[in-house]
Amino acid sequence: EHLTDTEKKVINFINMNTDKVSSMSISDVAEATYSSPATVSRTIKKCGISGFAELRYLLTQQAETKQDNIEVNEVFNKSLMEVSNTIDHLSIDTILSVVREIRGANRIYLLSRGLTEHVAQEFALKLQILGINVFSNSDPSIMQEITSHVKKRELVIIFTLSGKTPELLRAAENAASLGARIITVTCGSQDTPLARIAQVAVFGYKHQHVSIKSVDATSRLPLYVISRIIVDYLTMQQQQEHEKAARKEAAYRKDRFF
């Protein structure tokens, strides 16, 4: 009795087409039920399922589904778990602490190694667009040199999947000995040396299943999620400050004119 007529149509379609829905997108279901993706998502959540990805995954487990569909949905579920678990384990206080450190620093050094360098480079670029003084580096010898001269009002942010990379740990120890502030963004445990040495440690969730095992090609998706959250909040803060300044300027001009 809590469903609208459109939501009932969505439920009926799913119940009558369980074998098809496991290979459909949320837009496909919306089109078939003459609704919208938002309606489909809302209906699914009313039934106690977190979202369409979870529904599709559950259907592949229950129905006689093509093996290809099952395997692709397993891949979907892996990404879903990494993103949702990362967000679930983040606290608002932690994100606010990171933002305060970034905004209070005279200069930021962003350190990373391996494939995580791509996450750090994108993060650094977005900070630069926001007008923040940041320098990104992944070369071990250069990061040792930089952190040997870092100042107290400067901030070192380290992106690391494992939290155990020796070069990053040495750089963090150098910076800590000189009184610099340190932030670690990692998928490692809270017991790693890098997490313990940092004033703020942000933890992402890494799925245990690794597709490519011959080299370190583990997904950096949780680190991307964390970096996006930080950048989005920084951007929101800047926009609010610009709007506030614009209103203040407009009020000043109005008072001066009259």
Side-chain angles (χ1 to χ4, degrees):
E1 65 271 17
H2 299 295
L3 297 174
T4 66
D5 289 341
T6 303
E7 290 169 346
K8 289 176 182 177
K9 288 180 182 179
V10 173
I11 294 296
N12 289 335
F13 176 84
I14 292 171
N15 286 336
M16 295 176 65
N17 298 275
T18 54
D19 56 333
K20 295 180 181 179
V21 173
S22 62
S23 61
M24 297 172 73
S25 71
I26 194 170
S27 297
D28 294 334
V29 175
E31 184 177 352
T33 56
Y34 302 99
S35 62
S36 66
T39 299
V40 176
S41 178
R42 183 177 65 250
T43 304
I44 292 168
K45 290 178 180 178
K46 282 188 176 182
C47 296
I49 298 173
S50 64
F52 188 75
E54 183 185 356
L55 169 68
R56 193 166 49 188
Y57 177 75
L58 292 172
L59 290 177
T60 59
Q61 306 303 305
Q62 296 172 3
E64 293 184 4
T65 312
K66 291 181 181 179
Q67 185 62 30
D68 288 344
N69 290 356
I70 294 174
E71 291 172 353
V72 172
N73 271 302
E74 289 283 358
V75 174
F76 284 162
N77 192 57
K78 174 184 172 182
S79 295
L80 175 65
M81 286 181 64
E82 286 193 335
V83 173
S84 59
N85 277 288
T86 293
I87 293 173
D88 286 346
H89 287 83
L90 288 175
S91 75
I92 292 176
D93 287 343
T94 300
I95 299 301
L96 293 177
S97 295
V98 172
V99 170
R100 280 194 297 269
E101 294 285 354
I102 290 174
R103 301 199 67 179
N106 291 338
R107 184 177 176 86
I108 298 172
Y109 297 98
L110 189 53
L111 309 181
S112 60
R113 292 284 293 152
L115 290 180
T116 306
E117 178 184 352
H118 299 295
V119 185
Q121 285 178 339
E122 182 177 322
F123 185 67
L125 176 61
K126 290 179 178 178
L127 292 185
Q128 288 166 355
I129 292 172
L130 293 174
I132 296 172
N133 186 11
V134 58
F135 173 77
S136 180
N137 180 69
S138 61
D139 182 271
S141 58
I142 294 177
M143 67 175 66
Q144 300 310 316
E145 175 66 20
I146 288 171
T147 53
S148 296
H149 305 286
V150 70
K151 299 178 175 60
K152 286 188 177 181
R153 292 286 296 172
E154 295 177 336
L155 174 66
V156 176
I157 302 178
I158 299 174
F159 275 80
T160 167
L161 191 67
S162 67
K164 300 177 181 178
T165 308
E167 300 94 332
L168 296 175
L169 178 57
R170 286 196 294 273
E173 289 172 340
N174 287 345
S177 68
L178 296 173
R181 305 286 291 178
I182 299 171
I183 293 174
T184 299
V185 181
T186 180
C187 289
S189 71
Q190 297 183 8
D191 295 329
T192 58
L194 269 172
R196 290 196 300 267
I197 204 171
Q199 278 76 31
V200 183
V202 191
F203 298 96
Y205 172 86
K206 180 169 68 70
H207 198 284
Q208 293 181 347
H209 176 71
V210 178
S211 301
I212 302 175
K213 300 180 180 179
S214 57
V215 294
D216 179 18
T218 307
S219 167
R220 267 66 177 177
L221 182 58
L223 300 181
Y224 277 112
V225 170
I226 294 170
S227 68
R228 176 182 176 175
I229 290 171
I230 295 169
V231 168
D232 281 1
Y233 185 68
L234 277 166
T235 304
M236 187 183 301
Q237 274 198 332
Q238 284 198 2
Q239 288 174 344
Q240 290 172 348
E241 289 172 358
H242 290 159
E243 290 170 0
K244 184 178 179 180
R247 288 195 298 269
K248 186 176 180 181
E249 176 67 16
Y252 171 76
R253 289 175 178 238
K254 183 179 179 181
D255 290 342
R256 186 178 181 185
F257 180 78
F258 289 106

